[in-house]
Amino acid sequence: MTAKAPVRSAPAPRRTTPAPRRRRSTRRGPLHPATWAPTTVLVLVLGLIWSAIATEHPYILPELSEVGLALVDRPEVFLTNAWTTLSIALAGVACGAGTAFVLALVMSEVPVVRRALMPLAVVLNVTPVVALAPGLVLAFGFGMTPKVVVTAIITFFPVLINVTTGLRAVPPSVLHVFETLHASRAEVLWRARILYGLPYTFAALRVVMPLSIVGAVVAEFVAAGSTGGLGTMIRNAASTARLESVYAAIACLAAMGVLMLALVTAVERRVLFWHESQRRAST
């Protein structure tokens, strides 16, 4: 008997899986309907609600047309007072945020200073600024200085906390590499801690830049001798029941806050183009 050779079955054809398609970039510009349509619809709805309330209760809300006319009739008055308030806000945030940034650097390098200053910073943060205003007026007079100090106090603590957290957010592996390279403390601070702390710093600026407008208005409310600024304008208009001027000044304050936030966001995108948060925001 002759042995039969085993019959080999033909190999099954390999299934070729199609290459995964690259996802198209879903980045939406400011002119894309998905960007501006939701906000536009919401603004229209709020405008209709405002108009309905103003028609039924004119002593609570003025007509939007009256607010617009107040802005159009006296633009130079609002611009002059807006510049006064903006000057106080910028000077206050420069003093408060600058001092907080320097103290955060010192606290990150000297733990004893952090343990000594952090409780005092917390006490300053929870102290009502309105209660400090009369003493600041007595100490610094009736000029711009007490208003700048009030704004600086309001913007100080968020920057201090965020920057301190960012300076301590460096991964241990990165610090180990710098230690292996025998880097000095100044090099570690400049090339690692400040770099990793930049996202936290810009997060604090996104909070305190619009908040400085609030601080300037509060300072104009409570500081004696205020003769200019949107806060003083709101106080004087409210005392004579001119609601259209009150809400026109509030609209100017809102526009200033939005512009300051947009400016910080634009600078952040330029500086932190390498950071993961900006790469996610651009997709």
Side-chain angles (χ1 to χ4, degrees), residues 56-223:
E56 296 293 332
H57 306 284
Y59 52 87
I60 296 178
L61 290 177
E63 293 285 350
L64 291 175
S65 58
E66 296 178 0
V67 177
L69 287 175
L71 290 170
V72 173
D73 289 342
R74 298 181 299 163
E76 67 285 350
V77 175
F78 288 97
L79 287 175
T80 302
N81 287 282
W83 173 247
T84 302
T85 302
L86 183 62
S87 301
I88 296 172
L90 293 178
V93 76
C95 296
T99 304
F101 187 83
V102 173
L103 285 179
L105 292 178
V106 176
M107 291 163 61
S108 67
E109 294 297 313
V110 186
V112 176
V113 177
R114 181 176 68 250
R115 291 193 294 269
L117 291 182
M118 189 57 72
L120 298 179
V122 174
V123 171
L124 181 64
N125 182 58
V126 300
T127 302
V129 183
V130 178
L132 298 176
L136 294 175
V137 171
L138 291 176
F140 298 106
F142 296 96
M144 186 177 176
T145 303
K147 304 179 185 65
V148 173
V149 174
V150 169
T151 307
I153 292 174
I154 292 177
T155 59
F156 172 80
F157 192 73
V159 177
L160 180 68
I161 292 299
N162 278 271
V163 175
T164 303
T165 304
L167 293 174
R168 299 174 64 186
V170 184
S173 58
V174 175
L175 295 176
H176 180 69
V177 171
F178 276 86
E179 184 179 355
T180 304
L181 297 175
H182 303 286
S184 63
R185 295 184 66 177
E187 290 175 336
V188 174
L189 178 63
W190 176 251
R191 298 180 181 273
R193 295 193 183 277
I194 292 180
L195 191 64
Y196 274 88
L198 280 178
Y200 294 85
T201 303
F202 277 105
L205 290 178
R206 287 201 305 269
V207 174
V208 299
M209 290 299 285
L211 188 63
S212 65
I213 300 293
V214 179
V217 173
V218 171
E220 291 169 352
F221 278 164
V222 299

Side-chain angles (χ1 to χ4, degrees), residues 81 220-221 226-243 245-246:
N81 287 282
E220 291 169 352
F221 278 164
S226 297
T227 57
L230 291 175
T232 305
M233 189 176 183
I234 291 173
R235 184 182 60 190
N236 295 336
S239 63
T240 56
R242 289 182 286 117
L243 293 180
S245 297
V246 171

